Amino acid sequence: MAGTRRGDRRGGGETSTIRLIAVAVILIGLVLVSLRLLPGSPFESSAAARWGDAGTNTNTNTNTSTSDRPTGAGTDRSARQPSSTSPSPSPSLEPLPFVAKDLDLNIEGWYAWSVLDRRTGKIIGSKNMDETSTTASMIKSWIVADYLRRAADAGQTPSDAKLADATRIIRDSDNTRAEQFYNLVGRDASIKRLISMCKLTDSSVAPDGGWSRTALSPRDTARMGNCIATGTAAGPTWTKWLLNEMKLVRGAGDFGIRKAFPAAEQKNIAIKNGWIDRTKEQEMHINCLAIGDTWTMGVMVKYPINMGYDYGMKNCQKITEALLRPGT
């Protein structure tokens, strides 16, 4: 009897062990099932992933696990939502009154031109717009600007007499007063400041140090005009005054670029021109600078000296007319 009871106990113990193992297996299975249904779990199924992410397309392949889904903007639900506001388009700029084109104007000698868009800094011009000529009186606009800015920087106000001299230099192209101002600003040191401050790339100081033989290109002429227009040249105190004086150029110096525009517009265009007969080169050098509201322009011509001033002055205007947009 005792042996039998011991045998029964052993049998009961084995049964209990089997039951415990079965229960453990069931519990482990339940845990694994729960983990597969739990979003974010390492064992998460693709079905659970779709269930846990209401924004996911229901056409997604069910064999793709969460670790296979692309990252970045493609899975950003906020990126898939339509924007409540659309960005406003950038306003387009009004076209300049000039059209870039190759010119064939049957002009004797050499000529070149350039236009700078003051709003964007973009420059257009002839293929030779980087070639230089001597400026003659056109450089006087910089000499006066340099004088006025330096006076303001030194805390000085030019006397009425000096301002009257500056007016004569700009409006009437007075050579004697221009030479006096050139001495006041340090002669070729002033031209070096022009090249540096106005970021010129083609120009240079005259070998003899004189203002009249400063070498400028049409491209750098347009840059110098923009340098004046923005206030860099004359400074904030005197820029408006200088531009007004350049709009009032009169007499022999009133020719060229602005003459190509309707009479009503001419009074709003600031100019400074240069004209000289170069006996050494046996050439006439005629140069035109103009500053409009949205643009600056440089035109230069050189031709045989025996053809006179008028030929070049008219050709500055002729070149401008050929570049004007129809309807200007």
Side-chain angles (χ1 to χ4, degrees):
M1 292 292 293
T4 302
R5 285 196 296 271
R6 284 195 297 269
D8 290 341
R9 284 197 298 270
R10 286 195 300 269
E14 293 171 355
T15 301
S16 297
T17 300
I18 293 172
R19 289 174 179 171
L20 288 173
I21 292 172
V23 170
V25 169
I26 292 170
L27 290 174
I28 291 171
L30 290 172
V31 170
L32 290 174
V33 171
S34 298
L35 288 173
R36 286 177 60 81
L37 294 174
L38 182 64
S41 166
F43 301 97
E44 178 188 10
S45 68
S46 58
R50 292 197 303 278
W51 172 75
D53 183 359
T56 304
N57 191 327
T58 56
N59 291 327
T60 302
N61 189 329
T62 56
N63 292 325
T64 303
S65 69
T66 54
S67 61
D68 292 330
R69 289 184 297 172
T71 59
T75 56
D76 183 355
R77 281 172 287 178
S78 64
R80 291 194 294 269
Q81 300 303 316
S83 174
S84 58
T85 59
S86 300
S88 301
S90 300
S92 58
L93 296 174
E94 288 291 326
L96 294 181
F98 307 97
V99 178
K101 62 176 73 171
D102 292 330
L103 300 180
D104 184 10
L105 300 177
N106 194 29
I107 293 175
E108 185 76 19
W110 171 93
Y111 64 92
W113 64 273
S114 183
V115 172
L116 183 148
D117 188 330
R118 291 179 52 197
R119 302 162 300 180
T120 65
K122 181 180 178 181
I123 296 175
I124 59 173
S126 56
K127 293 177 181 178
N128 59 346
M129 66 178 173
D130 60 337
E131 297 178 10
T132 64
S133 184
T134 64
T135 61
S137 294
M138 187 175 69
I139 199 66
K140 292 172 183 173
S141 57
W142 166 259
I143 294 171
V144 171
D146 197 29
Y147 169 78
L148 294 172
R149 187 196 69 259
R150 285 164 59 82
D153 288 348
Q156 301 170 357
T157 300
S159 65
D160 290 344
K162 279 298 179 189
L163 288 178
D165 286 344
T167 290
R168 291 288 298 275
I169 293 169
I170 297 299
R171 295 192 197 183
D172 303 315
S173 209
D174 188 290
N175 287 335
T176 301
R177 289 173 172 83
E179 185 69 19
Q180 293 170 353
F181 271 53
Y182 193 54
N183 288 329
L184 290 173
V185 295
R187 301 188 67 80
D188 59 356
S190 177
I191 305 305
K192 290 176 182 177
R193 284 192 293 273
L194 162 64
I195 294 170
S196 174
M197 293 179 63
C198 299
K199 297 179 172 55
L200 308 189
T201 59
D202 314 318
S203 305
S204 60
V205 176
D208 63 0
W211 51 264
S212 178
R213 279 194 172 270
T214 300
L216 243 65
S217 66
R219 178 167 64 181
D220 278 353
T221 297
R223 287 168 173 158
M224 182 176 72
N226 188 53
C227 193
I228 292 171
T230 59
T232 300
T237 303
W238 293 103
T239 294
K240 185 177 180 180
W241 183 91
L242 177 58
L243 286 171
N244 185 64
E245 292 299 312
M246 293 174 69
K247 291 174 183 177
L248 297 174
V249 167
R250 58 200 175 191
D254 185 11
F255 64 87
I257 296 170
R258 75 176 174 187
K259 292 294 185 179
F261 287 80
E265 295 181 36
Q266 292 181 23
K267 63 183 179 180
N268 295 319
I269 299 175
I271 65 168
K272 189 71 191 88
N273 298 320
W275 61 103
I276 194 167
D277 52 336
R278 296 291 186 199
T279 55
K280 180 180 178 181
E281 293 89 348
Q282 285 295 292
E283 291 177 338
M284 300 296 299
H285 291 191
I286 311 296
N287 311 297
C288 299
L289 163 67
I291 302 172
D293 289 339
T294 59
W295 54 269
T296 61
M297 185 177 192
V299 178
M300 291 181 153
V301 297
K302 291 187 288 189
Y303 53 92
I305 196 170
N306 62 347
M307 298 182 73
Y309 292 110
D310 195 55
Y311 181 78
M313 293 174 173
K314 287 182 177 179
N315 279 326
C316 266
Q317 178 177 340
K318 182 179 180 179
I319 290 166
T320 306
E321 289 172 342
L323 295 167
L324 285 179
R325 190 178 298 277
T328 298

